[in-house]
Amino acid sequence: MTAEPTTGPTTGPAAPAFDLSTTYLGLSLRSPLVASSGPLTARIDSLRALEQAGVAAVVLPSLFEEQIEHEDMQAAGLGDLGADSNPEATSYFPDLGDYESVVDRYLRHLAEAKKALSIPVMASLNGETSGGWVRYARLLENAGADALELNLYGIAADLDVTGRDVEDEQLELVALVKASLSIPLAVKIGPNYSAMGHQAARFVDAGADGLVLFNRFYQPDIDPQTRKVSAALILSSSAELRLPLRWTAILSGRVEASLAVTTGVHTGADAARCLLAGADVAMMTSALLEKGAGHVATVENELVGWAVESGFESVNQLRGSVSQRHVEDPAAFERANYMAALTGFTSSFR
Ligand SMILES: Cc1cc2nc3c(=O)[nH]c(=O)nc-3n(C[C@H](O)[C@H](O)[C@H](O)COP(=O)(O)O)c2cc1C
């Protein structure tokens, strides 16, 4: 396939002799490098810096339904306080005239991001109730989101709920939200399904236009000194890329959906791995928090340098060339690799 070179970012690397363009969720992107949901997409100045460095699209931080509920309860609690102190004195009620709710703030940020950027802006939603998912999804679409990412971040800690129950409930949510939207829908999932491939295919059947692999679960720790549970967040490293890489390689070409990798993308070589496995985009948060928004340009330069040196002309040409369907030994992505890895390590250890 002949490819036109893309134009480079305003102040990023020089125009590459390699066609970086890709399609994600039906959106045409100038490159496969996307800023995932996180602190850098929460502010207009860092969003601008990301775009300047060449990022192809951004995902805003999630709107959390539980945060909205919490805020509503607080507002209601404040009202009750005034009412109790003197039932007749309505002036005791807090003045909520200038009060901006979590939802209003989110919609304002989305509208401002859309105005400030020319790249696609995706909203992200983490709901609690089915009514909430649909209601807020519609609000985000109406506020101008180019696509919606549903963040299915949950820990199945209820001992009475089966894996099938959890999976069916998530599928219902996806179908419900999909039916209420006209913008593309991506679903950000975790890796902890017994039959990950089957559940991924069911998400697509339920209406997901794309799968984001994977949510990175923050593990609680216990401080032996204080005997308290601590939740300090540790940023990712490239080593964590292997899990989403395996599943991207297995799903590539087998599900009718876009594939995004999130978790462990730090360098151009990492982005290359994602594309070779079959991803349409590689997303970054930790790397950008560590190195700054300008790191996008470095990753792009590294990716292009590697691709040109390897003789590739375009992202389209290389995408999925090392997916499970295209490698000589498909079992390498499955269990067979387990024994080979153990034996290889043991013999090198002598
Ligand atoms: C401080 C911080 C805040 C985040 N906030 C969100 C969020 O609101 N919604 C979401 O879906 N992911 C959120 N993430 C997860 C990232 O989008 C990403 O999936 C994860 O960090 C793995 O990618 P990485 O290895 O590039 O960091 C957050 C990550 C960090 C570090």
Side-chain angles (χ1 to χ4, degrees):
M1 155 175 186
T2 339
E4 286 296 314
T6 52
T7 32
T10 349
T11 57
F18 172 75
D19 182 5
L20 276 166
S21 64
T22 188
T23 304
Y24 177 59
L25 306 174
L27 304 167
S28 298
L29 304 186
R30 68 162 291 276
S31 94
L33 302 180
V34 169
S36 37
S37 193
L40 287 180
T41 63
R43 289 175 24 195
I44 299 298
D45 58 347
S46 43
L47 281 169
R48 280 209 180 96
L50 286 167
E51 182 176 56
Q52 279 225 318
V55 90
V58 292
V59 187
L60 300 187
S62 301
L63 174 63
F64 288 94
E65 193 184 347
E66 64 199 286
Q67 205 179 345
I68 301 164
E69 300 297 314
H70 177 72
E71 188 185 65
D72 284 351
M73 273 162 55
Q74 276 193 323
L78 282 174
D80 289 341
L81 211 72
D84 285 344
S85 61
N86 181 346
E88 286 171 25
T90 46
S91 58
Y92 282 12
F93 282 95
D95 178 11
L96 296 180
D98 294 333
Y99 170 76
E100 194 181 31
S101 70
V102 172
V103 181
D104 290 343
R105 265 201 309 280
Y106 194 94
L107 297 178
R108 181 166 55 82
H109 178 57
L110 173 55
E112 283 173 6
K114 280 294 298 171
K115 215 164 132 197
L117 307 177
S118 54
I119 52 175
V121 176
M122 298 180 251
S124 166
L125 177 61
N126 187 314
E128 280 221 303
T129 62
S130 46
W133 284 100
V134 170
R135 179 161 165 246
Y136 299 118
R138 281 207 189 111
L139 284 175
L140 298 174
E141 170 169 340
N142 292 339
D146 293 292
L148 179 66
E149 191 175 280
L150 286 190
N151 177 358
L152 297 182
Y153 189 108
I155 302 291
D158 187 335
L159 270 58
D160 293 324
V161 177
T162 70
R164 193 68 179 186
D165 292 342
V166 173
E167 291 165 9
D168 288 347
E169 196 183 323
Q170 292 187 345
L171 291 169
E172 267 172 44
L173 273 178
V174 170
L176 212 61
V177 173
K178 175 68 183 174
S180 70
L181 286 184
S182 53
I183 53 173
L185 179 70
V187 184
K188 187 171 183 177
I189 55 178
N192 301 320
Y193 300 99
S194 298
M196 171 52 215
H198 180 67
Q199 181 67 2
R202 290 176 85 207
F203 277 124
V204 177
D205 289 345
D209 301 297
L211 299 172
V212 184
L213 312 176
F214 287 116
N215 244 323
R216 183 166 179 262
F217 290 95
Y218 300 106
Q219 313 297 353
D221 197 3
I222 295 176
D223 184 332
Q225 299 305 325
T226 61
R227 281 166 285 135
K228 293 216 162 97
V229 179
S230 66
L233 191 151
I234 299 169
L235 295 177
S236 75
S237 71
S238 289
E240 292 178 50
L241 181 59
R242 289 189 181 196
L243 180 64
L245 209 57
R246 160 182 277 177
W247 282 106
T248 301
I250 292 174
L251 295 175
S252 170
R254 293 205 172 103
V255 288
E256 289 282 318
S258 296
L259 296 175
V261 167
T262 174
T263 295
V265 181
H266 285 250
T267 63
D270 292 338
R273 290 180 175 97
C274 298
L275 299 172
L276 289 167
D280 299 288
V281 294
M283 295 183 164
M284 288 182 282
T285 290
S286 291
L288 304 179
L289 285 172
E290 274 170 1
K291 304 219 166 93
H295 185 59
V296 174
T298 308
V299 174
E300 181 178 317
N301 271 336
E302 290 170 355
L303 173 64
V304 171
W306 162 82
V308 169
E309 207 178 292
S310 311
F312 289 112
E313 287 179 358
S314 68
V315 163
N316 280 339
Q317 185 198 11
L318 73 91
R319 184 189 301 112
S321 53
V322 191
S323 65
Q324 193 180 34
R325 290 200 318 166
H326 291 115
V327 287
E328 266 177 39
D329 175 20
F333 286 112
E334 298 177 24
R335 189 186 148 77
N337 210 24
Y338 179 53
M339 211 180 68
L342 296 187
T343 323
F345 185 86
T346 309
S347 48
S348 72
F349 199 62
R350 290 201 185 109

